[in-house]
Amino acid sequence: MKVKTESCITSTMSELVLKSRADWKARPPTLVEPMTNPVPYVIIHHSYIPPACSSTPECVAAMQRMQDMHQITNGWNDIGYHFAVGGDGNAYEGRGWSAVGAHAPRYNNISIGICVIGDWQAELPPPQQLEAVHKLIACGVEMGMIQEDYKLLGHRQVRDTECPGDRLFQEVTTWPHFHPMPRYRPKEEEKGSSGVDDNKLFFFKGKS
């Protein structure tokens, strides 16, 4: 699938290849909660596990593995992210532009969550993977799904986690729209809470 209303092509940006749910053989969601667009935030994640994928078959397998973990093991409605981006340079549709996600408490209904597939604690994703993230965000703005003045955050800024990895987060801080909000630290009363939320289990190294 290619995008602009399906193809997001501008004079300064080449085509974004966006693989549909059908392309990676996603199971249907058990429930879809509508989200209002355009959203004011974009939140960047890494998968940690599954590891980086460099070919489309590997990235398809990674998407299926994440959906299995999120939907079957965790009992969520669907894969938690709105989109993921693989080392093959393609973007993959998760919950899509207009469904509430399960990737960042308090931000699930006001953000687009993008997972950069791989563990980016020590190294940077390859250029084609980062380029696809930029194209995907630009596509969302162009389509009116993301606010033009959106704030860009790393997952660690809104939840107690190492995600999206030290090296990727360092890179994200240099991107346009990055919002230098301090790293999230849970309040004492939040620690050890037995409450269940839609983010109880992630593929992230460290607390999530």
Side-chain angles (χ1 to χ4, degrees):
M1 173 184 174
K2 306 208 163 151
V3 189
K4 168 119 181 139
T5 46
E6 292 315 48
S7 206
C8 282
I9 303 171
T10 70
S11 58
T12 59
M13 184 176 71
S14 61
E15 244 174 67
L16 168 70
V17 177
L18 175 57
K19 298 290 189 178
S20 70
R21 291 176 63 89
D23 288 333
W24 60 272
K25 298 179 174 58
R27 282 186 305 275
T30 56
L31 176 70
V32 177
E33 299 175 87
M35 182 173 71
T36 301
N37 300 96
V39 296
Y41 293 95
V42 173
I43 299 178
I44 303 296
H45 302 259
H46 74 169
S47 61
Y48 176 54
I49 298 171
C53 55
S54 58
S55 69
T56 298
E58 288 177 346
C59 294
V60 165
M63 293 298 294
Q64 293 170 344
R65 185 175 177 185
M66 288 190 288
Q67 189 183 39
D68 286 348
M69 179 65 175
H70 294 178
Q71 195 176 42
I72 298 174
T73 304
N74 294 11
W76 301 352
N77 297 329
D78 198 356
I79 189 171
Y81 310 112
H82 293 95
F83 297 93
V85 175
D88 58 351
N90 295 333
Y92 290 81
E93 181 185 18
R95 297 201 181 192
W97 298 112
S98 300
V100 174
H103 62 97
R106 298 176 302 279
Y107 289 81
N108 283 327
N109 63 343
I110 55 172
S111 69
I112 294 295
I114 301 173
C115 177
V116 184
I117 299 172
D119 175 6
W120 308 118
Q121 182 69 7
E123 44 187 327
L124 203 57
Q128 68 272 17
Q129 193 167 10
L130 294 177
E131 183 181 4
V133 176
H134 289 297
K135 289 178 181 178
L136 180 62
I137 295 171
C139 174
V141 172
E142 186 174 325
M143 293 173 66
M145 300 299 180
I146 299 171
Q147 290 182 7
E148 291 186 8
D149 61 347
Y150 70 90
K151 293 180 175 64
L152 179 70
L153 302 171
H155 186 210
R156 63 178 59 189
Q157 292 175 274
V158 299
R159 190 164 180 83
D160 188 19
T161 176
E162 292 181 11
C163 180
D166 287 348
R167 186 64 188 91
L168 177 55
F169 182 68
Q170 182 183 20
E171 170 70 14
V172 168
T173 65
T174 70
W175 293 359
H177 296 268
F178 175 73
H179 185 60
M181 187 170 73
R183 180 166 180 163
Y184 176 78
R185 298 296 180 194
K187 298 175 184 176
E188 280 303 317
E189 59 268 25
E190 291 176 328
K191 296 178 181 178
S193 169
S194 59
V196 176
D197 73 39
D198 213 21
N199 293 267
K200 60 181 185 250
L201 292 172
F202 276 93
F203 283 120
F204 303 132
K205 188 177 182 181
K207 296 178 183 177
S208 59

